Each structure stands twice: as C-alpha cells, then as structure tokens.
Amino acid sequence: KFLNIHHLKDLYVMGQPYGIMKKVEIARALMADPSLIVLDEPAAGLNDQETDELEQLIYRVRDEYDTTILLIEHDMGFVMNICDKVLAINFGKFLAHDTPKNIQAHPDVQEAYLGKE
C-alpha cells in the first residue's frame, strides 16, 4: 500500500512495467526494516514521470521509515534534486564530497565532467 502497488499483489512481478518492478524491489528492501538502503541506478530506464514519482517515493521512504538512502546514479538532475550530500568520483578517483550546489561549482568536478577550456 505504501508504494501504491497493492492492487498488483496477486500478479507475477515478471512482465510488469519497469517502474512497477523498481517499486517491488524497494518494497522487498523495506520488509527488512533497514536503516540503510542502497539504490544503484534506480532512475535508469524510467521516463520523466516515473523519475519524478521515484524522487517523491525516496523522500517518503527516508522520512517515514527513518532510513538513510545511498544513491548511486548518473542522472545528475535527479541526484542534484534529491541528495543532501554528493560524492563525486571520476574513474574511481575521489573528486569532492559536498552539497549539490557546491559540487556543481567545484573546479575538479567541472573539469572531469565538462572538460577544460
């Protein structure tokens, strides 16, 4: 019910739309009452509406389950909207750890991801 997929409870997960399968994965994690959930590329393959819904869902999981979310993601718009802190890495090398605003302004991050003039 929390994930708004209760109406699908009697159906097989296989064959469901990709966004529903992502919610099922989160539901499985929540059943363990975790203090930390690692989401690896959760927005991959989702359309804009599904990504927006996922963003709201992650906020709800964090707040209502008092759970820390570790997000590994390449969708920078999604990352900058949702994360309190960002760790930027380039080819396994640490670049910076800061707020999204400061990460965007960090010269090493800009060079790695945007190139040098």
Side-chain angles (χ1 to χ4, degrees), residues 39 54-62 69 71 78 82:
L39 298 176
L54 177 62
E55 184 176 324
Q56 295 309 309
L57 175 60
I58 290 172
Y59 286 133
R60 287 184 57 220
V61 168
R62 179 197 66 192
I69 308 292
L71 182 67
F78 184 70
I82 202 166

Side-chain angles (χ1 to χ4, degrees), residues 52-107:
D52 291 344
E53 290 173 7
L54 177 62
E55 184 176 324
Q56 295 309 309
L57 175 60
I58 290 172
Y59 286 133
R60 287 184 57 220
V61 168
R62 179 197 66 192
D63 296 341
E64 294 181 34
Y65 281 81
D66 192 29
T67 301
T68 299
I69 308 292
L70 173 62
L71 182 67
I72 302 161
E73 181 61 65
H74 286 93
D75 181 336
M76 288 299 100
F78 184 70
V79 169
M80 296 303 159
N81 284 342
I82 202 166
C83 293
D84 298 321
K85 295 284 186 176
V86 176
L87 174 67
I89 299 172
N90 186 33
F91 294 106
K93 180 184 173 212
F94 171 85
L95 297 177
H97 176 241
D98 211 328
T99 64
K101 182 179 178 180
N102 290 341
I103 287 291
Q104 291 176 25
H106 195 284

Side-chain angles (χ1 to χ4, degrees), residues 7-50:
H7 62 286
L8 303 171
K9 68 178 177 52
D10 295 324
L11 301 176
Y12 289 107
V13 174
M14 186 170 48
Q16 293 299 319
Y18 198 60
I20 297 296
M21 290 179 19
K22 295 270 187 175
K23 287 182 178 181
V24 170
E25 291 172 3
I26 293 171
R28 287 178 178 153
L30 290 174
M31 290 189 315
D33 193 27
S35 57
L36 170 72
I37 297 176
V38 178
L39 298 176
D40 187 6
E41 298 286 346
L46 301 181
N47 64 36
D48 290 342
Q49 179 182 345
E50 290 169 328

